[in-house]
Amino acid sequence: MIAVTRTGKAPDLISPEFAADPYRAYSLLREHSPLLWHEPTSSYVLSRYEDVRRVFQDREGAFSTENYGWQLEPVHGRTILQLDGRDHSTRRALVAPAFRGRELQERFLPVIERNSRALIDGFRHRGRVDLVSEYATRFPINVIVDMLGLDQGDHDRFHDWYSAIIAFLGNLSQDPGVTEAGLRTRDEFADYLLPIIAERRKNPGDDLLSKLCQAEVDGTRMTDEEVKAFCSLLLAAGGETTDKALASLFANLITHPEQLAAVREDRSLIPRAFAESLRLTPPVQMIMRQAARDVEIGGGTVPAGATVTCLIGSANRDPDRFHAPEAFDLYRSELSETTSFSAAAEHLSFALGRHFCVGALLAEAEVRVGVNDLLDAMPDLRLAEGAELVEQGLFTRGLRELPLEFSPVPQQRGAR
C-alpha cells in the first residue's frame, strides 16, 4: 500500500492516519490509485463509483461472495450471503417477505414504534442523552429481538452478543481476545437459539422466527442451522447499519441547522435526509467480493480467485458521480427517496444486485420512526457543550458518542 508522504499519497487502510480520516485517503485513491493491491488485506482495492457499482451489480458473473466463507462463516455459520444462483434466490425468497410490504407495515411497524418510544421514555425528561449508547446501539437490536418473538428480558444479552460479533468482524489486527469472544458468542448464540427453533417448528407463533421456520419455496425450507445463521446475520447486519446510520443522520442534521429545521418542520423529508446521510457517511464503508475469473477493471487486471475490497465510503463521494460530494444536502438531485431504499438506489450503501440488502426497507422504517419520535421528544436539540464528533471503525464506521442537549418533554406525545 502507498505510504503517507508530503506529496499527497494515500495512507494505508489499516494505519492510524486512515482511521482518523478515511475520506481524505479515498480522494487520493480515486485520483491516483483506482485499482490498488493492498498487501496487509491480500486484496485489490477499488475506490471509484463506476467500478464499485460494476462489482455489486455483476451483470457479467465476474464476482462471487466466496470470500464470506472465511470472513463471516466462522462467527455466523453459512448464510445466504455466501450463496449464488438458485440456492441464493430460493433462500432469499424465504426470508424477504418479512422485510417489505404489508408484513413490514402491519406486523412489525408497531414493534418498531413500541421499542423506539420505550427507549426515549428513559431519557426524555432529563434534557440530555448520548444518542449512541442510550438509543442508537439498542433500538435496532431490541426491534430484532421482538420481531423474532424472543424474550424481551434478553435485550441486554443480545446487545452483548451483537457487540462481540461486530468486534470479531472488524478484527483486522487479529486480537486473540476479540477472536475468542466472537467464537464464544457463536456457540452461546447457537445454544440459545437452536432449542427455540425446534420448539417453533412444533408450535409456530405469529413471530418472525416462526415464519422463517415455516417458510417454504418450491418445496425448500431452511434447516435449523440456516435459520440460526440468518438470525445471527440479522442481529449483526441489521443492528450495525441502523445503529450507526441513525447517529450519523442526527450528527449531519445538527451540523446543518437549516436542514435540521426543515426536517423538523416537514417530516416527509426524513427519507431524503436518511438517503443523503447514507451516501455521505455510510455505516458500511467497504464490502469484499471474490473474482470468479480474470477481470479488467479500474485500469488494471484482478486475477481469478483474488479478493476485491470495494470502498463504499469512497464511491459515494466520487465527484464524477455526485456534485459537491463532500457536502450534506438533503435536497440533492442525484438521490430520490423513491429509489434510495431499493436495488435502484444511486448511493451504494446497501450494495446492489442480487445481494442488495434484504433489510433496507426495515432500516428505512426504523429510521423514519426513530427520527420522528426523537424530534418530538427533543425540542431545541443541540450538541452538548464541548462535545466532539469522533468517528471510529474501518469496515463499519460510526460515531463513538453523540452527546445531545434539549428542552425536556416529560410526557410522550401521540403516535404520528
Side-chain angles (χ1 to χ4, degrees):
M1 179 73 182
I2 302 172
V4 180
T5 70
R6 293 184 180 274
T7 59
K9 293 183 179 179
D12 187 272
L13 266 66
I14 57 174
S15 68
E17 294 88 350
F18 183 90
D21 183 11
Y23 297 108
R24 171 184 169 274
Y26 293 156
S27 177
L28 294 169
L29 287 172
R30 286 193 305 268
E31 183 176 357
H32 301 293
S33 305
L35 177 67
L36 178 74
W37 169 250
H38 184 236
E39 186 67 37
T41 57
S42 298
S43 71
Y44 288 84
V45 179
L46 291 170
S47 50
R48 290 180 178 172
Y49 180 90
E50 289 301 330
D51 293 332
V52 173
R53 186 178 184 90
R54 176 184 164 192
V55 173
F56 287 165
Q57 286 184 320
D58 192 26
R59 290 170 176 158
E60 314 154 47
F63 299 95
S64 75
T65 55
E66 289 186 17
N67 57 289
Y68 285 147
W70 56 262
Q71 194 177 7
L72 299 182
E73 192 164 342
V75 72
H76 288 310
R78 190 164 179 80
T79 72
I80 61 172
L81 292 181
Q82 291 143 266
L83 303 176
D84 281 304
R86 188 176 185 278
D87 283 344
H88 174 265
S89 60
T90 299
R91 280 156 180 79
R92 188 178 176 97
L94 289 168
V95 302
F99 300 95
R100 65 186 184 214
R102 289 183 60 187
E103 188 79 4
L104 175 59
Q105 292 300 315
E106 296 179 7
R107 189 181 305 277
F108 297 126
L109 190 59
V111 175
I112 294 169
E113 293 170 341
R114 180 175 68 247
N115 279 282
S116 173
R117 290 159 196 175
L119 287 169
I120 291 172
D121 283 346
F123 60 78
R124 63 190 305 130
H125 61 285
R126 294 204 319 252
R128 64 184 186 280
V129 64
D130 172 19
L131 200 68
V132 171
S133 65
E134 296 183 73
Y135 184 86
T137 62
R138 294 191 173 270
F139 174 40
I141 301 304
N142 292 1
V143 167
I144 290 168
V145 171
D146 287 4
M147 286 176 65
L148 291 169
L150 301 174
D151 189 347
Q152 295 183 26
D154 287 331
H155 279 173
D156 287 344
R157 191 177 187 183
F158 274 88
H159 186 269
D160 291 343
W161 283 338
Y162 156 73
S163 300
I165 291 171
I166 294 305
F168 178 94
L169 296 176
N171 187 24
L172 283 186
S173 65
Q174 296 300 301
D175 183 309
V178 172
T179 300
E180 181 184 355
L183 297 177
R184 184 171 62 250
T185 292
R186 175 198 61 194
D187 296 338
E188 290 176 358
F189 188 73
D191 291 343
Y192 174 93
L193 198 60
L194 286 172
I196 299 175
I197 291 171
E199 175 60 26
R200 298 289 165 89
R201 289 205 190 275
K202 296 176 184 177
N203 301 295
D206 200 31
D207 53 82
L208 176 58
L209 184 56
S210 295
K211 298 290 183 183
L212 294 173
C213 290
Q214 300 300 315
E216 184 173 328
V217 173
D218 297 334
T220 298
R221 287 189 176 188
M222 288 193 289
T223 66
D224 289 6
E225 185 64 29
E226 287 174 328
V227 172
K228 185 271 296 180
F230 179 78
C231 291
S232 178
L233 177 66
L234 179 62
L235 181 69
E240 176 81 341
T241 52
T242 308
D243 160 6
K244 290 177 165 50
L246 255 171
S248 293
L249 173 55
F250 266 87
N252 286 325
L253 288 172
I254 287 170
T255 53
H256 297 81
E258 72 291 347
Q259 297 188 60
L260 173 60
V263 172
R264 186 181 287 280
E265 178 67 23
D266 180 2
R267 305 299 174 84
S268 71
L269 292 173
I270 292 173
R272 291 195 64 89
F274 183 32
E276 171 64 351
S277 189
L278 285 172
R279 183 201 65 81
L280 185 70
T281 48
V284 179
Q285 291 276 309
M286 56 186 74
I287 287 178
M288 291 179 170
R289 292 287 190 263
Q290 188 165 309
R293 54 176 171 77
D294 291 357
V295 184
E296 298 292 326
I297 192 169
T301 302
V302 175
T307 299
V308 178
T309 298
C310 297
L311 299 180
I312 296 172
S314 175
N316 278 352
R317 294 194 183 200
D318 190 333
D320 288 340
R321 180 61 189 85
F322 298 102
H323 174 70
E326 306 295 325
F328 178 79
D329 179 9
L330 66 85
Y331 303 105
R332 180 176 296 280
S333 61
E334 299 101 329
L335 298 180
S336 167
E337 68 270 23
T338 60
T339 58
S340 288
F341 309 100
S342 74
E346 293 301 325
H347 67 80
L348 302 179
S349 300
F350 290 127
L352 289 172
R354 62 186 177 277
H355 289 289
F356 177 79
C357 176
V358 72
L361 289 176
L362 172 63
E364 190 276 332
E366 288 175 320
V367 168
R368 180 164 32 85
V369 168
V371 173
N372 264 311
D373 289 346
L374 288 164
L375 289 178
D376 284 346
M378 298 193 296
D380 308 318
L381 178 62
R382 58 198 177 274
L383 194 64
E385 185 175 354
E388 295 184 15
L389 300 180
V390 179
E391 289 186 344
Q392 58 187 9
L394 178 62
F395 278 98
T396 60
R397 187 171 180 84
L399 290 166
R400 185 171 61 200
E401 60 181 5
L402 184 56
L404 302 176
E405 296 175 349
F406 53 92
S407 299
V409 178
Q411 293 184 346
Q412 183 171 346
R413 299 182 181 180
R416 193 168 284 276

